[in-house]
Amino acid sequence: MPVENLEFKTEINQLLNLMIHSLYSHKEIFLRELLSNASDAIDKARYEALVNSDALTDMGDWKIKITADKDAGTLTISDNGIGMTKEQIITELGTIAHSGTLDFMRALKEKGDINLIGQFGVGFYSSFMVADKVTVVTKSVKGEPAVKWESEAKGSFTVDDAQKQTRGTDVILHIKEDEKKYLEHWEISSIVKKYSDYIEYPIVMDVEREEDSALDKGTKVKLIKEETLNSQKAIWLKDKSEITPEQYNEFYKHVSRDFTDPLSVIHFKAEGTSEFTALIYIPSQVPMDIFYEQFKIGPVLYVKRVQIMDHCEELVPKYLRFVKGVVDSSDLPLNVSREILQNNPHVSVINKNITKKVLDTLADMKQNDIGKYRKFYLELGKVLKEGVHFDFQRRETIADLLLFRSTKTGKDSYTTLKEYVDTMREGQEEIFYITGASYEEAAQSPHLEKFNDKGYEVLFMLDEIDDIIFGYFEYKGKRLKSVIKGSFDLDKQDEKKKEEEGHKYEKLLSQIKNRLKDDVKEVRLSGRLKQSPCCLVSDEGAIDPAMERMLRSMGKDVPKNLRILEINPDHPLIETLSGVIEKDTSAADAVLDLLYEQALVLDGNKPKDPALFAKKLTELMLESLRRSA
Ligand SMILES: Nc1ncnc2c1ncn2[C@@H]1O[C@H](COP(=O)(O)OP(=O)(O)OP(=O)(O)O)[C@@H](O)[C@H]1O
């Protein structure tokens, strides 16, 4: 076939430009990435051989070979893995941008930090940090002719026929003039030890050694010997005492594609009805895409040391989707399918065990190292708390792990549900909470006035999903109740007073109802206001306004939900207004409109008609200035 010249996809081009000009200080990671690709390719071939016995005849002797040719200035990484067909190599290495690349470019734009590279699957392209040209020669397990891919990362790559008899891939790096140290045996060997020691296939290299000659005693001869650079033992199968914290961290970076050290390591072996080993990590940073649908959930699944699946979502509940790691089961069949996984008793035992271990680890951290726990919570608490809604059995255990700011903690401290309940006012039957977009917004809400006045603590719920999670939750027999929904009478005296005032304000209430009939469903006297004249509240079972706004911003069709306007009978504005309306029913209509618009603003909304609102305010300001002029 003639040589084909193809263009890289735009995003890949941008990435390649970055790689070529990168000042990133850990360029050595290119080798880690290529060895990891080689190991993945062997995993795939090995799996293929196991489930499809016709596919590979020469299975076994799996190996990754590194060859440094100082004369040619090339470093070659060869594997006898699955290989690529022509079609695959064009898509995989040029025309589709893997999600890792896209996420990396996006993160780079936001944070401008090349160090983020370790977090994303930009693996192969990191070769261009040390090479000015890369050639890939590969032969697929599918038996198609071998292909050669080549590029200098200048916008395009070529694809051509190649001569290669054996299955697998050779990645040949033409090392840049100033990166020649990567052709040295000691350098390569130390990088392999540092990053890729746990790779379970031998990573070998030909090394020249001087040895005593067997033929001519007393003389030395130079011999080329193949040496294995890695210890090859799957880290999760080693004894804990044999593993250093650095090795644990390095392996974490390998499985998670995160470049920061993990927050916690959980390594355990289960024996009994189900036999498995798990090496699970809690990350220290929230993964960028954790709230996207395409986020890959679950640890890598191995069955008897054979990698079966990159991410096995059946092994962890969704609210623990931030955990990364490896599970190696001795009970599952090698050709395990998604259907088998969904109904397999061993899988549910593993899931239960991991869930318990992670929750226990978090509880322990919270108890013994609250600083570290807060760091975890600020990053990942939002995901963990989904468990209160979805994991009925463990909802109180998870609830005990949650931290809240409240009207009593201030901005920088936290309380827990347990502390809240332990210090509840006598006779208080419910746990009060307020939703809001920020601490400041919630803290200044008029809905809190009476609660503050009477000394009731109110928890702040600042994530959009909070109302859904906590709206129907009971903790130790106490219901959680939103202070912006339903009506409140915080003491018996208030109730009586409201009855009397209801009579006094009858005309005012009916006039407001009349004036705002299209905007609010009800107008009533408030039991929760102290300083403000009015506020908007929802019915007990209604959707939270923050949630409603979020759904609308996502383009969802949410039915219009009329709110209730509550007015404060003790506020001088309301009293004066009532006096005016008693004399002339419609004399204060403009003020009633403003009152409603103001309640909307306080609620985090725009006024109904911002231009009209501004005009009315201007008129009022002018009037007041004229009076004092
Ligand atoms: N040695 C290899 N043998 C077979 N296929 C390979 C090899 N190296 C790369 N590939 C193919 O090229 C694709 C792109 O590789 P790249 O390193 O850029 O990203 P990735 O490995 O998919 O992502 P990540 O680095 O997150 O694992 C791989 O998914 C794989 O399909």
Side-chain angles (χ1 to χ4, degrees), residues 213-259:
S213 167
L215 297 172
D216 190 359
K217 285 231 153 44
T219 58
K220 300 261 179 205
V221 284
K222 284 188 175 169
L223 289 176
I224 306 278
K225 279 198 154 180
E226 194 177 86
E227 284 183 7
T228 302
L229 307 181
N230 58 331
S231 72
Q232 271 176 265
K233 190 157 176 200
I235 183 170
W236 60 92
L237 297 179
K238 287 188 186 175
D239 196 77
K240 277 188 201 179
S241 61
E242 288 175 44
I243 310 169
T244 64
E246 290 73 30
Q247 286 168 329
Y248 269 131
N249 289 353
E250 226 15 87
F251 184 70
Y252 167 71
K253 289 174 192 171
H254 168 71
V255 279
S256 68
R257 303 270 161 197
D258 184 359
F259 77 110

Side-chain angles (χ1 to χ4, degrees), residues 33-162:
E33 300 296 320
L34 296 181
L35 290 172
S36 157
N37 282 351
S39 157
D40 288 352
I42 299 180
D43 280 340
K44 287 180 197 158
R46 193 172 159 201
Y47 178 66
E48 191 71 23
L50 281 162
V51 294
N52 178 7
S53 53
D54 300 336
L56 301 176
T57 44
D58 59 341
M59 83 166 197
D61 200 18
W62 306 108
K63 189 195 281 192
I64 302 168
K65 181 157 187 162
I66 304 179
T67 314
D69 182 337
K70 287 190 187 160
D71 297 332
T74 56
L75 182 72
T76 304
I77 290 91
S78 311
D79 66 65
N80 52 1
I82 192 120
M84 282 174 274
T85 61
K86 180 180 160 199
E87 208 175 307
Q88 279 172 331
I89 204 164
I90 292 174
T91 40
E92 297 294 349
L93 302 183
T95 54
I96 58 155
H98 286 252
S99 58
T101 311
L102 299 175
D103 290 344
F104 172 64
M105 298 303 289
R106 201 176 306 131
L108 199 64
K109 261 186 212 136
E110 277 165 24
K111 298 196 181 166
D113 182 1
I114 184 91
N115 288 309
L116 291 166
I117 186 173
Q119 263 190 88
F120 299 90
V122 291
F124 171 78
Y125 303 110
S126 61
S127 324
F128 287 99
M129 290 196 293
V130 299
D132 38 30
K133 184 163 94 176
V134 178
T135 311
V136 181
V137 178
T138 182
K139 185 166 167 60
S140 163
V141 69
K142 295 189 177 149
E144 291 182 22
V147 252
K148 178 168 116 180
W149 176 104
E150 195 161 72
S151 178
E152 292 180 16
K154 291 179 181 155
S156 65
F157 59 94
T158 57
V159 181
D160 196 0
D161 288 333

Side-chain angles (χ1 to χ4, degrees), residues 377-417:
Y377 196 80
L378 287 179
E379 292 286 329
L380 293 154
K382 192 171 170 179
V383 184
L384 176 72
K385 71 169 105 158
E386 291 172 15
V388 172
H389 187 69
F390 291 108
D391 192 341
F392 196 80
Q393 263 186 347
R394 301 185 188 85
R395 57 196 326 207
E396 276 210 6
T397 311
I398 300 164
D400 275 325
L401 291 171
L402 306 184
L403 302 178
F404 301 92
R405 285 182 285 187
S406 81
T407 43
K408 293 203 172 154
T409 61
K411 195 173 176 180
D412 300 319
S413 306
Y414 294 87
T415 186
T416 59
L417 285 172

